[in-house]
Amino acid sequence: MLWVAPGLFCFSINKVLLGVVNGLRRMRAFALYTSLRYVLLAVALGFAYATGLDGEQLPVIWTFAEGVLLLVLVVELFANVEVARGTGWRTEARKHLAFGVRGVGATLAAEVNSKLDVWMLGSVLPNGSPAVGIYSLGAQIFEASPSSRSWSRTTSTQ
């Protein structure tokens, strides 16, 4: 965990910075940076193999790739965005936060509702029962399939 934690932090920042690049409609740069992540992972994996890195230290390749990508994206940000134009962001942030707070309750309720049957099944069946995992996988596949949405709508209105 120690080896991958910094990479996970950088990954979350990189997701936001890649969103900025995408929002600026710099599609070639976006594609380049997205590809760069995998190239850096391959380079780090090759370096780890060449140096005989221990298996428990292998997640450091994620930290390396995401850290280098973070540096590249910060340079991209400062090269293409006028940071001084960012005044007044607090009022916009309040609007976005207020909107998000209103939606989080409904989202949590929907998630709990969709998982409640799995939790109940897990509490009733003995520990380690494979039926819970099979049912959970089936429920996830059903939720993910586009046809389930139309099936749910047609059966609930009858």
Side-chain angles (χ1 to χ4, degrees):
M1 183 67 176
L2 179 67
W3 297 100
V4 77
L8 289 173
F9 173 76
C10 292
F11 176 76
S12 63
I13 302 298
N14 289 344
K15 290 281 282 185
V16 173
L17 293 178
L18 282 169
V20 170
V21 173
N22 190 21
L24 292 172
R25 300 187 188 279
R26 295 180 38 78
M27 296 306 165
R28 286 188 180 150
F30 180 77
L32 177 76
Y33 298 141
T34 303
S35 301
L36 181 62
R37 170 180 284 143
Y38 301 106
V39 169
L40 288 169
L41 282 170
V43 166
L45 185 61
F47 182 76
Y49 179 76
T51 59
L53 196 66
D54 289 337
E56 70 179 35
Q57 296 173 335
L58 197 57
V60 79
I61 68 172
W62 181 263
T63 299
F64 168 78
E66 292 298 327
V68 171
L69 185 61
L70 178 64
L71 295 175
V72 170
L73 288 172
V74 165
V75 170
E76 166 79 19
L77 176 72
F78 283 108
N80 292 302
V81 175
E82 290 181 42
V83 181
R85 278 185 44 202
T87 60
W89 63 271
R90 287 187 177 154
T91 55
E92 292 299 320
R94 281 191 193 104
K95 290 180 192 175
H96 285 277
L97 186 61
F99 179 78
V101 166
R102 287 193 308 264
V104 78
T107 303
L108 284 175
E111 284 298 315
V112 167
N113 186 34
S114 69
K115 305 292 185 265
L116 189 61
D117 53 346
V118 176
W119 295 338
M120 294 304 291
L121 192 62
S123 68
V124 173
L125 293 177
N127 284 344
S129 175
V132 178
I134 293 168
Y135 181 83
S136 176
L137 179 63
Q140 284 183 335
I141 291 171
F142 178 76
E143 283 180 29
S145 68
S147 62
S148 70
R149 287 172 184 66
S150 63
W151 180 81
S152 303
R153 268 186 266 134
T154 58
T155 56
S156 64
T157 57
Q158 295 176 356

